[in-house]
Amino acid sequence: MNPTMIKPAGERPESLPQGSRLRQFFRVNGIGLAFLLPALCFYTLFQWGPILYNFLLAFQNYTPGLPPVWVGLQNFQRVLSDSVLPQAIANTFAFAGWALLIGYAVPIVAAIVITELRRGRAFFRLAIYLPNIIPAIALYIMWIYMFHPTVGLLNQILQFFGLPGLEWLLAPKLALVSLVIMSTWANFGSTAVLYMASITAIQAELYEAAEIDGAGIGARIRHITLPALQPTMVLLLLLQLLATLQVLQEPFVMTGGGPNNATMTLMYLAYNYAFVNAEFGKAGALGMLLFLLLMVLSLIYVKLTKVVGQK
Amino acid sequence: MKGTNRSVISVFDLKKPGVKLGYSCCYALAAGLAVLMIYPLLWVLFGSLKEANEIFLVPPTLLPKTFLFQNYREAWQIYEIPKVVANTFIAFGGFLLVRFVVISAAAYALSHLKIPFRTGFYMIFLATLMLPFFAYIIPAYLVVFQLGLLNTFWAVWLPAGADSFTLLLLKGFFDGIPGELFEAARIDGASELKILRVIVLPLAKPILAALTIFAFMAVWNNFLWQQIVLSSGDKWTISVALWFRSLGNVGATVAQNIQLAAMLISTIPPMIVFLFFQKYIIEGVTFSGIKG
């Protein structure tokens, strides 16, 4: 029985006059709506409000404390003619691309390998999850030290193998990839834990049956493990893509967008418009363009996965 | 052998030498990953105990020549750890209170009270899970500014009342409580608020505990929002202080060894929380990833 139906419902509201029908509505639904009201207010103020406000902001010149001025499409023109924009676009997509290239397969392989182990599974799971416990800023401080060209751990390792040390965050060509390496190290554990949960949910009988039918280990992974992981893989591909296209905190803290704008991302550009130049309208315009881009990407993605799923 | 304990490779497979070798490779790979994760942390720990000039010694040393625990005392003072930790806990306390009051009421209404357009309301809440973070961080800052809440803890507390992950978890839990349980109380004239407080929330203790842990990790780790809205030094939380003294204050940053000590100090509370509540956290991660 549906618990919500227990409420004493009023009889035949159709026969009542207009005023008491409204009263009737609130007598039945009033308490429920009152319980919902605070959440609606908070969502309006801090989630939906800001999104809609951003669309307004994009067409205004706004400095906090002064009245907003309507400027039409001017903000968009100024954003699109910003000489840093092409590089920011390239960097953002390069970051997302590298992050998927380096970071997407690692957690899947790690999850399959670790769930295969008969002993010490909990220890290895803890070990790969460890970076997720470290606060973000602490992690960046640690990695700035790791990337240090003369005394950093990474160059020590390279030198141990007789390779020349690299400049990492200080080299324009390498800075972005350095950030990807760091965020892969920091984040793959939580994704691997997700995959591990999906693998543990696979019934052992499936593997037993496949083995009896003579399927080798490779075939079992290809035909049982990977299909079982597919929904998670599909979802995480989108979530990781969206998350990496919004990258801001890593370059903001670790490189300041440098060297020479090599790690300037779209989100960082918007941050600078707003909080460095106090051009909130411009930030709003860039934010709106990004928002539309991500929504379009998500929609295409949903469509594509549906088409692939039907086949 | 228990059925759940097997995965791709069976006991029979393991008798083949080729598979044995592959299985050993799996162990080697896992061990390699573990070293890759743990070794940098140890290296940072040693770094935090070195003297300031030993840190930049070429060739670098692994073990410190002198174990300078006084680095930690210095970090404690320079980063004003007691003050910023207190601030972080103030931020966390209000954050949790707002979140629990607002979201538990909404979740209770969605799962046990009579409301019109139930699915519509639920969608309004849940759709925000898909909203990109940056689309609202700048306008949300302006909202906070216009409400006059900049540089007050309200700027951290109030947005906590709009969190769909908490709503999703709580509503899921409340859905599982049969309505008959509080029908009697209703007939006795108990108000819905009292039912929520006296019957429903006590039943939800395990999930509230898990949500408390997530909220703690969220507040402790959050940087960007706190840096934007709490810019005055007396309101700094641990993340903001750590950032400003180590990196943000260009030209006047703290020595590297002290930075590392402060970094490790800031890692201790979440580490303790994690080690105690590992099970909840891993389950929460699993859940939040699958919810979509």
Side-chain angles (χ1 to χ4, degrees):
Chain A
M1 181 172 147
N2 186 344
T4 55
M5 304 309 276
I6 308 164
K7 292 290 292 178
E11 277 87 46
R12 287 179 298 152
E14 296 82 14
S15 62
L16 295 164
Q18 191 65 47
S20 44
R21 198 184 292 175
L22 197 67
R23 208 177 303 148
Q24 178 70 19
F25 176 82
F26 277 108
R27 201 169 69 81
V28 175
N29 299 309
I31 296 175
L33 289 176
F35 270 63
L36 219 48
L37 190 67
L40 282 175
C41 292
F42 280 93
Y43 270 82
T44 309
L45 265 182
F46 297 109
Q47 298 264 1
W48 291 112
I51 294 272
L52 297 177
Y53 181 38
N54 199 42
F55 282 81
L56 196 66
L57 194 62
F59 299 98
Q60 291 176 338
N61 252 351
Y62 179 71
T63 315
L66 299 173
V69 184
W70 191 264
V71 292
L73 292 173
Q74 211 186 73
N75 284 326
F76 291 94
Q77 284 167 354
R78 287 168 63 209
V79 167
L80 292 176
S81 61
D82 188 327
S83 59
V84 187
L85 186 75
Q87 195 170 9
I89 295 175
N91 288 342
T92 306
F93 280 92
F95 184 89
W98 281 111
L100 285 184
L101 201 67
I102 300 178
Y104 188 67
V106 174
I108 302 175
V109 175
I112 293 179
V113 166
I114 290 176
T115 19
E116 205 49 56
L117 305 177
R118 313 229 154 161
R119 274 157 206 265
R121 222 184 288 174
F123 166 76
F124 290 116
R125 188 174 69 173
L126 177 65
I128 60 169
Y129 194 77
L130 214 51
N132 288 276
I133 309 160
I134 304 171
I137 299 295
L139 202 80
Y140 303 150
I141 292 172
M142 170 179 163
W143 273 86
I144 287 174
Y145 182 39
M146 303 252 294
F147 281 133
H148 194 285
T150 48
V151 296
L153 183 60
L154 292 179
N155 278 355
Q156 284 182 38
I157 294 169
L158 288 181
Q159 271 148 20
F160 179 81
F161 289 106
L163 297 164
L166 298 168
E167 293 271 276
W168 302 108
L169 293 172
L170 304 175
K173 282 196 179 136
L174 202 60
L176 201 66
V177 178
S178 305
L179 292 183
V180 173
I181 293 172
M182 182 201 73
S183 68
T184 305
W185 184 86
N187 297 321
F188 90 90
S190 63
T191 328
V193 166
L194 282 182
Y195 285 122
M196 284 166 82
S198 314
I199 296 176
T200 338
I202 301 172
Q203 285 170 329
E205 288 83 19
L206 286 176
Y207 289 120
E208 267 159 33
E211 192 184 352
I212 291 165
D213 289 346
I217 291 166
R220 280 175 239 162
I221 291 179
R222 195 152 15 122
H223 296 294
I224 300 174
T225 315
L226 290 181
L229 287 183
Q230 204 198 357
T232 317
M233 283 164 71
V234 167
L235 181 67
L236 285 180
L237 184 63
L238 178 68
L239 291 183
Q240 284 188 23
L241 188 66
L242 292 184
T244 49
L245 285 175
Q246 295 175 53
V247 58
L248 162 63
Q249 201 164 271
E250 289 86 350
F252 172 75
V253 173
M254 295 186 70
T255 60
N260 204 4
N261 284 333
T263 51
M264 180 58 73
T265 62
L266 286 170
M267 186 55 199
Y268 196 175
L269 202 58
Y271 177 95
N272 276 348
Y273 287 158
F275 297 110
V276 177
N277 311 343
E279 298 176 308
F280 281 88
K282 227 167 134 186
L286 182 55
M288 190 174 143
L289 292 175
L290 280 166
F291 180 75
L292 295 177
L293 171 78
L294 290 201
M295 287 294 119
V296 168
L297 269 180
S298 310
L299 282 180
I300 293 176
Y301 188 82
V302 169
K303 275 261 150 56
L304 277 182
T305 48
K306 262 192 192 145
V307 170
V308 172
Q310 274 164 1
K311 273 179 189 170
Chain B
M1 180 179 270
K2 266 176 66 199
T4 51
N5 214 352
R6 79 152 286 162
S7 36
V8 181
I9 302 173
S10 67
V11 183
F12 174 73
D13 284 328
L14 268 182
K15 298 207 170 99
K16 299 181 209 159
V19 176
K20 236 181 211 163
L21 186 69
Y23 187 63
S24 316
C25 284
C26 281
Y27 259 107
L29 198 62
L33 277 177
V35 169
L36 206 63
M37 295 290 125
I38 295 170
Y39 186 74
L41 289 171
L42 281 178
W43 182 72
V44 166
L45 177 69
F46 291 140
S48 75
L49 292 167
K50 287 177 182 173
E51 256 180 78
N53 51 12
E54 196 193 338
I55 259 196
F56 294 107
L57 213 59
V58 180
T61 50
L62 173 61
L63 286 174
K65 286 177 184 152
T66 46
F67 285 82
L68 274 186
F69 287 101
Q70 137 200 3
N71 287 348
Y72 281 81
R73 203 177 322 137
E74 260 181 69
W76 189 269
Q77 284 161 359
I78 292 173
Y79 286 80
E80 300 176 285
I81 297 291
K83 193 182 85 182
V84 298
V85 167
N87 281 344
T88 313
F89 272 97
I90 293 171
F92 166 62
F95 184 93
L96 195 68
L97 189 72
V98 170
R99 176 167 285 183
F100 277 179
V101 169
V102 173
I103 302 291
S104 65
Y108 180 64
L110 285 170
S111 85
H112 286 290
L113 294 179
K114 180 132 181 63
I115 42 170
F117 315 115
R118 185 184 309 274
T119 324
F121 276 127
Y122 197 37
M123 279 349 280
I124 288 179
F125 294 132
L126 281 202
T128 57
L129 283 172
M130 291 305 288
L131 291 181
F133 146 85
F134 70 74
Y136 60 83
I137 184 161
I138 289 167
Y141 165 83
L142 291 177
V143 168
V144 167
F145 166 78
Q146 276 151 12
L147 294 173
L149 301 178
L150 278 190
N151 271 322
T152 69
F153 287 113
W154 291 104
V156 176
W157 294 341
L158 294 184
D163 184 62
S164 300
F165 175 60
T166 310
L167 182 73
L168 193 71
L169 272 177
L170 268 185
K171 182 183 177 292
F173 189 85
F174 289 172
D175 281 344
I177 303 174
E180 290 82 20
L181 215 59
F182 30 85
E183 205 177 340
R186 250 179 217 160
I187 292 166
D188 288 346
S191 70
E192 295 296 340
L193 208 57
K194 193 166 180 197
I195 294 175
L196 176 61
R197 222 164 23 117
V198 178
I199 304 178
V200 178
L201 287 181
L203 282 174
K205 257 183 203 154
I207 196 123
L208 292 179
L211 288 170
T212 305
I213 297 160
F214 295 147
F216 175 77
M217 303 289 254
V219 173
W220 193 273
N221 293 343
N222 177 284
F223 165 67
L224 205 61
W225 180 251
Q226 291 172 4
Q227 187 257 332
I228 294 172
V229 297
L230 299 176
S231 48
S232 81
D234 61 321
K235 296 280 179 0
W236 279 350
T237 54
I238 182 95
S239 279
V240 182
L242 205 57
W243 167 74
F244 186 81
R245 304 249 182 245
S246 311
L247 311 163
N249 190 9
V250 181
T253 49
V254 174
Q256 187 93 56
N257 53 346
I258 310 292
Q259 278 187 29
L260 295 180
M263 175 239 147
L264 284 162
I265 291 175
S266 80
T267 306
I268 293 168
M271 197 70 90
I272 292 172
V273 169
F274 180 80
L275 290 177
F276 274 100
F277 303 104
Q278 217 192 114
K279 198 173 129 262
Y280 281 133
I281 294 171
I282 301 269
E283 273 169 15
V285 169
T286 313
F287 183 80
S288 65
I290 289 165
K291 95 228 164 192

